[in-house]
Amino acid sequence: MDHFLYRDGALYAEDVPVAEIAAAVGTPVYVYSTATLERHFRLFDEALDPLDHLVCFAMKSNSNQAILRTLAALGAGMDVVSGGEYARAKAAGVPGERIVFSGVGKTGSEMRAALEGGIRQFNVESEPELEILSAIADSMGVTAPVTLRINPDVDARTHAKIATGKSENKFGIPIARAREVYARAAALPGLEVIGVDVHIGSQLTELEPFELAYTKVAGLVELLRADGHAIRRLDLGGGLGIPYTRSNEAPPLPSDYGEMIKRTVGHLGCEVEIEPGRLISGNAGIMVSAVIYVKNGEGRDFLILDGAMNDLVRPSMYDAHHDIVPVVEPAAGVEQVPFDIVGPVCETGDTFARGRHMPPLKAGDLVAFRSAGAYGAVMASEYNTRPLIPEVLVRGDQFAVIRARPTFDEMISRDNIPEWLL
Ligand SMILES: *Cc1c(COP(=O)(O)O)cnc(C)c1O
């Protein structure tokens, strides 16, 4: 469910015609819907009632300040994976006690910054990380709240690049070694071990892998408690998938996910955290792009867009599918023809879709990539010296540019010339 629908033959973002935004801001451009973001956050929040819980938005999926503020105003926590994301969360006004710090490679300076600014917990992924965090917290005279990320050895059945819960992945502490590592953590100064963390992957389209993982976590909590650890918090990660095509079988709903959480870990009496990213921001954004050329090749026709792989990398990087729809609704019954939809970057990998059936389009026409709100703008680069594209947030009948397109001068002036070249 999102708020990008056709009205009277034109695509709207909530109550604003997408073509109006494109005319005002230029293309390509990301457009986000406040109502969709809010709706998705609330679905998760309500799904965990009446458990004591916190929904921490995985801000690596979309870290624009305006997006963070929109969610923080509803009471969202943030799941950060770098010092930069921590700084962004703080800048958006999120208090430290609502920020959890995940990631396999936290550096000492990132840990220090989070301990100084306030942190809800560190999700620690290895023994060396435990030792460093202990030493830093101890030297600062503070106590770091810690959960250990357990790798439950569960197959998430998702794309290999975003599966994280198998023993061969780099993430977490093997569940078989968990008790030993908890004992080590309890003995270290500067740490308070408060819970267990798990995150098995992203874009999961079924509940079974989560259920297997959470059941293993519940068993582990009983063992850890028997060992004398006061386990009071569970971080169950993110990863619930979204439908990227209209025709797709729908992935599980947050409400089903919440029921499953209550069934598997509800009896433990723990405070529960989840870290959804994609399901909150994914369908809350589109990327709007204009057709530059329609090129008729040999046996293949190309739509060459002004958007490219540097703006939305998911198709090149994960073979991801995005529905691509014209901003002017095609007339009923109009013949659709297959196109390869590509960007202008000098790589064959700069292909969004092959043989995609589209209504007739001409230069200047606008198309929208659906479900582009997560892992879109945050993964963009300036490859080919293409400016990072602007981001726009819509709320009802208003819209605002929440990140402007840099000028070429701004981009170039970030380079420094060493004195020997002056
Ligand atoms: C990426 C990630 C998430 C969010 O995953 P989504 O698929 O966007 O929900 C949550 N937690 C951790 C630790 C992550 O690495």
Side-chain angles (χ1 to χ4, degrees), residues 58 60 79 102 149 199 201-203 237-240 275-278 375:
K60 71 173 195 263
D79 172 48
S102 300
R149 177 166 176 183
H199 170 75
S202 199
Q203 186 53 14
L240 200 56
E275 305 166 343
R278 190 188 309 269
Y375 308 105

Side-chain angles (χ1 to χ4, degrees), residues 130 247 275:
L130 262 186
S247 50
E275 305 166 343

Side-chain angles (χ1 to χ4, degrees), residues 6 13 41 88 92 120 147 156 197 239 339-340 353 357 391 415:
Y6 288 116
F41 174 80
R88 276 187 177 275
R120 181 177 181 82
T147 73
D197 169 47
F339 284 106
D340 281 11
H357 281 75
E391 295 174 270
D415 297 356

Side-chain angles (χ1 to χ4, degrees), residues 44 56-61 79-81 102-103 123 125 149 162 164 171 197-199 201-204 235-241 274-281 374-375:
F44 276 114
C56 295
F57 176 55
M59 56 179 274
K60 71 173 195 263
S61 70
D79 172 48
V80 308
V81 292
S102 300
N123 294 332
E125 300 219 15
R149 177 166 176 183
I162 49 176
T164 58
F171 300 95
D197 169 47
V198 68
H199 170 75
S202 199
Q203 186 53 14
L204 274 73
D235 184 329
L236 300 175
L240 200 56
I274 53 171
E275 305 166 343
R278 190 188 309 269
L279 208 151
I280 291 179
S281 56
Y375 308 105

Side-chain angles (χ1 to χ4, degrees), residues 215-239:
T215 304
K216 287 191 176 189
V217 165
L220 177 64
V221 170
E222 314 265 13
L223 288 175
L224 293 174
R225 284 178 170 168
D227 289 346
H229 302 284
I231 302 297
R232 58 171 198 269
R233 188 178 289 167
L234 296 181
D235 184 329
L236 300 175

Side-chain angles (χ1 to χ4, degrees), residues 310-395:
N310 68 296
D311 306 313
L312 178 64
V313 78
R314 298 189 66 261
S316 333
M317 187 147 138
Y318 310 116
D319 308 312
H321 173 101
H322 284 268
D323 275 355
I324 304 170
V325 299
V327 166
V328 174
E329 188 175 21
V334 75
E335 198 202 349
Q336 309 239 341
V337 289
F339 284 106
D340 281 11
I341 304 180
V342 303
V345 164
C346 309
E347 296 208 18
T348 304
D350 187 21
T351 297
F352 290 119
R354 287 183 202 284
R356 185 72 64 89
H357 281 75
M358 299 290 288
L361 287 165
K362 57 184 190 315
D365 285 349
L366 298 173
V367 296
F369 288 71
R370 289 190 172 276
S371 314
Y375 308 105
V378 285
M379 294 181 100
S381 77
E382 291 182 344
Y383 188 39
N384 282 205
T385 304
R386 294 168 47 85
L388 289 181
I389 68 178
E391 295 174 270
V392 165
L393 181 62
V394 173
R395 180 169 170 273

Side-chain angles (χ1 to χ4, degrees), residues 110-331:
E110 288 175 323
M111 292 171 181
R112 198 168 287 114
L115 286 168
E116 274 164 10
I119 191 80
R120 181 177 181 82
Q121 94 225 8
F122 292 91
N123 294 332
V124 172
E125 300 219 15
S126 66
E127 287 160 282
E129 184 189 339
L130 262 186
E131 308 277 342
I132 297 288
L133 182 59
S134 162
I136 289 173
D138 196 41
S139 74
M140 293 170 68
V142 298
T143 303
V146 161
T147 73
L148 295 186
R149 177 166 176 183
I150 296 306
N151 186 323
D153 195 19
V154 163
D155 183 357
R157 290 183 251 162
T158 183
H159 190 285
K161 282 188 186 156
I162 49 176
T164 58
K166 280 291 280 176
S167 55
E168 69 257 29
N169 301 131
K170 68 181 176 184
F171 300 95
I173 291 153
I175 192 159
R177 296 208 46 236
R179 291 171 79 183
E180 197 185 316
V181 182
Y182 270 86
R184 175 74 188 133
L188 286 170
L191 304 181
E192 188 194 5
V193 181
I194 58 167
V196 179
D197 169 47
V198 68
H199 170 75
I200 59 172
S202 199
Q203 186 53 14
L204 274 73
T205 50
E206 30 183 24
L207 286 183
E208 283 82 358
F210 288 116
E211 183 151 8
L212 270 173
Y214 298 170
T215 304
K216 287 191 176 189
V217 165
L220 177 64
V221 170
E222 314 265 13
L223 288 175
L224 293 174
R225 284 178 170 168
D227 289 346
H229 302 284
I231 302 297
R232 58 171 198 269
R233 188 178 289 167
L234 296 181
D235 184 329
L236 300 175
L240 200 56
I242 62 171
Y244 277 98
T245 60
R246 303 276 123 172
S247 50
N248 241 7
E249 232 182 86
L253 299 171
S255 52
D256 299 332
Y257 178 66
E259 285 312 310
M260 184 273 292
I261 287 175
K262 288 172 219 170
R263 197 164 64 237
T264 49
V265 302
H267 60 287
L268 296 167
C270 286
E271 184 183 3
V272 169
E273 291 163 359
I274 53 171
E275 305 166 343
R278 190 188 309 269
L279 208 151
I280 291 179
S281 56
N283 286 332
I286 59 175
M287 184 180 82
V288 183
S289 185
V291 176
I292 308 178
Y293 297 114
V294 181
K295 177 175 166 183
N296 302 112
E298 266 189 51
R300 229 172 237 285
D301 293 331
F302 295 92
L303 278 183
I304 302 175
L305 304 182
D306 62 0
M309 64 187 287
N310 68 296
D311 306 313
L312 178 64
V313 78
R314 298 189 66 261
S316 333
M317 187 147 138
Y318 310 116
D319 308 312
H321 173 101
H322 284 268
D323 275 355
I324 304 170
V325 299
V327 166
V328 174
E329 188 175 21

